[in-house]
Amino acid sequence: MSSLGLETDTNLNLTFPLPYRVFTLLGLGILAWATNLHGLHLLGIDAVGALELRAEGHVPRTPSFAGRPNGLSRYTPPSAFYFPAYKIFFTYAGFCFTSWTIFRFCTKGDRLLVDAFGYIPLITGLVILIILICPMKVLLKHERDKFLYALYRCLFSRFTAPVQFSDVVFADIATSFAKVLGDIWLSLAMLLPGNSVLVAPSEEGWHKWVLPAIMSFPYLVRFRQCIIEFCLPSNSSQRPLLNAIKYATAFPVIFLSAAQKSMPIIDSMGNDISSQAWNGTFRLWLLAAAINSCYSFWWDITNDWGLEMLKGQKEANESGHRTPPRRLVLPQVHSHPNAPLLTRTSFDSALPERHRHSPVLSRATSPHQQSHPWGLRTILLYPLPVYPLLVFLNLILRMTWSIKLSSHLYSVSDGSMGIFSLEVAEIVRRWLWVFLRVEWEVTKKIQDGLPKARPDDFSSENEYEMVPAMPEEHFPLRS
């Protein structure tokens, strides 16, 4: 590392040490989730239904809901989820910013004072943890309980129960914070007596394996979910197993990187051969990183987003032309809790007055009328330029993802601004990923409700496809 790089990292640790960078990244994660829910709502995607989110006590007072069965009578507006998330973010950000301001005022950029006042970020972290698990009904306890319950479901879900889509998204988001979890461990080690906030502690013996074990934990959780899905009696697909392999490819990247930080290797003749062993391990790590990045990119595009550019021709024909590529009209479609659907805003005027402003109707941009462009799919709920742009950004950021999982690349000084920037970039990538992941989940439900294509479906006379709604007796609408 150049002297300029070391000086930059040192200055960063003086003004913005690792514990506060961890707080910042966690705050960005909260903000990203809030804007995901809010953005999906503004784009007309029923994220609440797709993610199977529920909140008790939200019953709309409109005549349209009179007489519904008790099990289906509760409707939760999306704002009941993203408004509290925004509130959590601003409360959390205000608290962390106040702590950092006090820290900066006390240390004044002095190297000696930074370690002397290292207890300030430590107290900040303890207060955040205590508030998170506090049983008292204060500081958004309902939202804190939902987070802890989601965490519990991911960690201790039964092998006999299907994995919910919201748990899948939650665990996938956690994999983007693998390096952040490692930073939490390093921050705690830096704040211990005898260590310095400016320099990462040395890792010797079994301690060098603690960091990679912590970083691999989110991948282990997601791997377990895939195995649960594969072992369910109702499953007949190999896809969960292939998905599990994807997460398993992250383990060699993490642990081969840790192996490159080993102690010098001496042969029987007393010669130091650590450089030869390092080169061999580095080649294995490079191969593992390439496999992980390419496999993950392929899976994002093909399975998480449902795009066809990396599919085989036969598979693309089967999935992309189940229904004719025409505009969809979904009048009077009800957002069933287990099957969120979409409506075209432009056809609101055709609905009865009592249905026109019903909160159960989710708005969406209409799918494209013409046959979809190469590499995409039949139903596109976002503007067309969004898809190639996100594919390109995902490719670039996936190629750098293995760097963040590789501790040997920043072992000299963990205060690298470059590594922090990559962590922020990964949060942005995952933020964009959620938009298309939820959109594809909703699109699959739309496709499942459409009849398969027939030759006469492509005639100009049948320009619109009608999606069959739930039977009226299941959702009686009364004026």
Side-chain angles (χ1 to χ4, degrees), residues 129-393:
L129 179 61
I130 291 173
I131 292 176
L132 178 63
I133 63 177
C134 177
M136 300 175 62
K137 293 184 177 181
V138 294
L139 297 173
L140 300 168
K141 183 179 186 301
H142 182 62
E143 282 67 32
R144 291 188 283 111
D145 287 346
K146 286 194 295 185
F147 171 80
L148 293 175
Y149 180 58
L151 183 63
Y152 173 82
R153 285 205 315 262
C154 288
L155 297 179
F156 304 105
S157 57
R158 296 177 298 173
F159 273 87
T160 57
V163 180
Q164 297 184 17
F165 178 60
S166 58
D167 294 340
V168 170
V169 173
F170 183 86
D172 270 322
I173 292 175
T175 61
S176 293
F177 285 82
K179 174 63 173 64
V180 180
L181 294 178
D183 288 343
I184 293 175
W185 166 259
L186 286 178
S187 298
L188 292 174
M190 288 178 175
L191 295 173
L192 290 176
N195 293 334
S196 172
V197 180
L198 302 175
V199 181
S202 59
E203 300 174 357
E204 299 178 357
W206 65 270
H207 291 280
K208 70 179 180 181
W209 301 108
V210 175
L211 180 61
I214 293 175
M215 293 172 61
S216 64
F217 185 73
Y219 293 92
L220 183 61
V221 172
R222 190 67 187 94
F223 177 85
R224 178 178 180 271
Q225 288 181 338
C226 295
I227 297 300
I228 291 176
E229 291 180 321
F230 179 73
C231 295
L232 288 176
S234 58
N235 176 62
S236 59
S237 172
Q238 298 294 321
R239 180 171 296 181
L241 182 60
L242 296 176
N243 200 10
I245 294 175
K246 183 194 75 170
Y247 294 101
T249 60
F251 301 140
V253 178
I254 297 173
F255 286 96
L256 285 174
S257 175
Q260 297 181 55
K261 301 164 64 177
S262 302
M263 299 295 290
I265 301 176
I266 308 299
D267 63 6
S268 58
M269 302 297 295
N271 299 319
D272 186 356
I273 59 172
S274 57
S275 60
Q276 301 176 15
W278 189 92
N279 288 333
T281 307
F282 175 77
R283 292 189 183 98
L284 288 176
W285 168 83
L286 196 61
L287 176 62
I291 293 174
N292 173 256
S293 297
C294 294
Y295 195 165
S296 299
F297 174 73
W298 171 79
W299 191 272
D300 285 343
I301 302 304
T302 304
N303 295 280
D304 288 347
W305 294 353
L307 304 181
E308 300 174 3
M309 59 183 63
L310 300 180
K311 289 183 178 180
Q313 187 63 35
K314 181 179 179 181
E315 185 181 1
N317 290 335
E318 292 177 353
S319 62
H321 296 288
R322 292 171 53 192
T323 58
R326 298 169 299 167
R327 287 183 290 180
L328 301 179
V329 183
L330 295 87
Q332 304 183 28
V333 176
H334 309 285
S335 183
H336 189 276
N338 296 324
L341 295 178
L342 303 161
T343 62
R344 281 193 62 192
T345 310
S346 58
F347 280 81
D348 284 347
S349 58
L351 301 177
E353 178 64 28
R354 69 177 183 273
H355 297 171
R356 192 173 303 167
H357 304 291
S358 174
V360 296
L361 296 178
S362 58
R363 302 186 302 107
T365 56
S366 61
H368 294 283
Q369 176 182 7
Q370 303 300 327
S371 178
H372 61 286
W374 178 88
L376 301 185
R377 46 179 152 82
T378 304
I379 300 179
L380 303 175
L381 304 178
Y382 296 142
L384 185 60
V386 167
Y387 298 90
L389 176 62
L390 293 191
V391 168
F392 174 75
L393 292 176

Side-chain angles (χ1 to χ4, degrees), residues 169 172 300 304-305 429-437:
V169 173
D172 270 322
D300 285 343
D304 288 347
W305 294 353
R429 188 198 69 82
R430 184 62 67 178
W431 175 72
L432 296 172
W433 176 91
V434 170
F435 281 107
L436 283 189
R437 181 66 184 93

Side-chain angles (χ1 to χ4, degrees), residues 14-17 99-110:
L14 288 174
T15 59
F16 196 40
S99 172
W100 177 78
T101 302
I102 295 174
F103 178 81
R104 286 285 293 141
F105 177 79
C106 294
T107 59
K108 299 180 175 61
D110 190 314

Side-chain angles (χ1 to χ4, degrees), residues 375-447:
L376 301 185
R377 46 179 152 82
T378 304
I379 300 179
L380 303 175
L381 304 178
Y382 296 142
L384 185 60
V386 167
Y387 298 90
L389 176 62
L390 293 191
V391 168
F392 174 75
L393 292 176
N394 191 70
L395 174 63
I396 298 300
L397 295 176
R398 271 296 186 188
M399 294 302 106
T400 62
W401 173 226
S402 296
I403 296 177
K404 294 185 292 296
L405 297 180
S406 306
S407 55
H408 75 280
L409 298 179
Y410 47 89
S411 58
V412 175
S413 174
D414 197 72
S416 171
M417 175 58 79
I419 296 298
F420 177 70
S421 300
L422 288 176
E423 290 178 287
V424 174
E426 172 59 19
I427 294 176
V428 173
R429 188 198 69 82
R430 184 62 67 178
W431 175 72
L432 296 172
W433 176 91
V434 170
F435 281 107
L436 283 189
R437 181 66 184 93
V438 176
E439 183 240 10
W440 173 232
E441 187 70 16
V442 173
T443 300
K444 287 191 294 185
K445 293 183 181 296
I446 294 177
Q447 290 180 330

